[in-house]
Amino acid sequence: MTSSQTSQNLSFVLEGIHKVKFEDRPVPELKNPHDVLINVKYTGICGSDVHYWEHGSIGNFVVKEPMVLGHESAGVITQVGSAVTSLKVGDRVAMEPGICCRRCPPCKSGKYNLCENMEFAATPPFDGTLAKYYVLPEDFCYKLPESMSLQEGALMEPLSVAVHIVRQARVSPGQSVVVFGAGPVGLLCCAVAKAFGATKVVVVDIQQSRLDFAKEYVTPLTFVPGKVAATENAERMRQEHGLGVGADVAIDASGAEPSVHTGIHVLRNGGTYVQGGMGRSEIQFPIMAACSKELTLRGSFRYGSGDYKLAVELVSTGRVNVKKLITGTVKFEEAESAFKDVKQGKGIKTLIAGIDV
């Protein structure tokens, strides 16, 4: 392994299933006058990173060539392009890791997260952010206020996912919300829903330890589903948590088919269901309940216009706390062991420290 003290751009590279290495790569150049060079300081480990490490693919995205992992990052600007006006060397920023083409119909309609030519970090064939340096356009970097740490900045990526999901759900003050999955995104969905004014937030999971954390972190209302029909779990949830004829909003952040079913059944007539978690490509679906209740059904993919900006504001104003989700930080050289710990379900969010300039 190359010494981090002498490396130019030490990177954590996935070569194949369970096969990673540290590789010193050239420092990326600024090819566009609107780009900036960032010294990456902290990177969170996401489930998708672990999935690529474990299986070598996610759906149609297959690792065919060595790929740098990581996409939940924050860092410090070390160089700016000639046309950059909003950032300067030394600024601390949260890094939005997907570069859209800005020209296709989704981009031009304002839904750039659905870009037909998206270059997303650590999604084959594009390299991720687990490197000493990374280049982004200036408008995909969000300056952190002095009150926020770089560690918190690294969590703006999963928080932006949660912001997008809750915005898709149109959560409004006074509503009741049920969130399936108490992983990082599910927990953040609970926090954002409360910040948006939801008065009752129920979180569902099959792991009691995660629900115990959720009680301390964001909501006292938790639910462990039984091995019974989804309709029975939905009815028990309504009774135990006073949801009356049903919840206003159900969000799935688990991708588990039983959660999808229960989410549809726990909603009131005219409620809203948002699918944020990714599971099997095809599942059975309670279509009659969705139709007869006249539910609003929406998908949610990554994050779009205004989501990162709002995420930073929610944390900087104290409305959402992301510090409590950080289980610990490991050195860059210990990245592989950190991946193994995350795979085993240890902690909530582990950060990998970057390499200083």
Side-chain angles (χ1 to χ4, degrees):
M1 186 184 86
T2 305
S3 168
S4 60
Q5 282 73 33
T6 60
S7 67
Q8 292 189 53
N9 187 30
L10 192 64
S11 306
F12 186 60
V13 178
L14 176 68
E15 293 186 293
I17 296 174
H18 290 166
K19 188 178 181 182
V20 293
K21 67 177 180 179
F22 293 93
E23 180 179 299
D24 195 12
R25 296 186 167 193
V27 176
E29 298 178 357
L30 301 185
K31 298 180 180 180
N32 187 298
H34 293 281
D35 286 348
V36 297
L37 183 67
I38 306 156
N39 175 212
V40 182
K41 294 297 187 182
Y42 292 97
T43 300
I45 300 177
C46 175
S48 66
D49 292 317
V50 176
H51 200 279
Y52 281 122
W53 171 70
E54 184 79 6
H55 302 285
S57 64
I58 295 179
N60 295 326
F61 296 103
V62 181
V63 179
K64 297 178 181 178
E65 300 291 336
M67 178 185 77
V68 179
L69 290 166
H71 62 272
E72 300 181 0
S73 295
V76 177
I77 304 294
T78 61
Q79 185 181 350
V80 299
S82 60
V84 172
T85 59
S86 63
L87 296 169
K88 64 182 185 303
V89 172
D91 282 346
R92 303 173 315 123
V93 296
M95 301 161 54
E96 183 173 349
I99 304 173
C100 60
C101 74
R102 307 177 192 264
R103 295 178 178 85
C104 68
C107 282
K108 297 189 77 170
S109 70
K111 293 186 177 292
Y112 70 81
N113 59 313
L114 304 180
C115 174
E116 297 169 359
N117 305 292
M118 177 68 77
E119 297 182 4
F120 198 85
T123 297
F126 305 106
D127 287 322
T129 60
L130 268 172
K132 185 175 182 179
Y133 294 105
Y134 194 78
V135 168
L136 279 175
E138 67 171 313
D139 57 327
F140 283 80
C141 297
Y142 300 82
K143 189 174 178 180
L144 299 177
E146 290 302 316
S147 61
M148 281 182 63
S149 67
L150 281 161
Q151 290 95 327
E152 290 173 294
L155 269 78
M156 293 306 96
E157 199 277 346
L159 178 55
S160 295
V161 172
V163 166
H164 192 72
I165 291 171
V166 176
R167 290 176 77 179
Q168 286 288 87
R170 308 290 196 270
V171 172
S172 59
Q175 286 192 317
S176 57
V177 179
V178 177
V179 177
F180 293 83
V185 170
L187 291 167
L188 288 169
C189 282
C190 293
V192 174
K194 293 189 74 173
F196 278 27
T199 52
K200 182 171 289 187
V201 178
V202 181
V203 61
V204 183
D205 206 287
I206 58 174
Q207 295 186 35
Q208 187 61 51
S209 60
R210 291 197 171 195
L211 294 179
D212 291 340
F213 180 87
K215 288 180 182 178
E216 295 294 324
Y217 174 61
V218 70
T219 177
L221 308 180
T222 64
F223 184 83
V224 179
K227 294 182 179 180
V228 297
T231 51
E232 293 182 45
N233 278 320
E235 177 59 27
R236 179 164 65 89
M237 195 188 313
R238 284 194 292 267
Q239 295 295 328
E240 288 183 4
H241 294 301
L243 294 174
V245 295
D248 297 303
V249 173
I251 292 169
D252 178 66
S254 72
E257 184 173 334
S259 295
V260 175
H261 289 201
T262 306
I264 294 296
H265 290 300
V266 81
L267 285 168
R268 61 168 173 80
N269 290 351
T272 298
Y273 177 90
V274 176
Q275 186 63 42
M278 292 187 179
R280 292 189 292 113
S281 58
E282 295 185 8
I283 64 170
Q284 290 186 329
F285 183 79
I287 192 168
M288 286 299 294
C291 290
S292 61
K293 289 184 175 185
E294 202 168 286
L295 301 179
T296 297
L297 306 177
R298 291 193 176 98
S300 186
F301 187 58
R302 294 175 178 157
Y303 23 74
S305 182
D307 293 330
Y308 251 81
K309 181 176 182 291
L310 180 54
V312 172
E313 290 176 354
L314 288 173
V315 173
S316 64
T317 57
R319 296 169 68 191
V320 171
N321 185 322
V322 294
K323 284 183 180 179
K324 291 183 180 179
L325 298 182
I326 301 173
T327 303
T329 302
V330 302
K331 295 179 180 179
F332 193 85
E333 294 85 348
E334 298 170 356
E336 185 174 8
S337 64
F339 268 68
K340 293 177 181 178
D341 287 345
V342 172
K343 172 61 181 175
Q344 294 173 8
K346 296 181 180 179
I348 302 296
K349 180 60 66 175
T350 298
L351 300 182
I352 297 173
I355 300 167
D356 292 333
V357 175

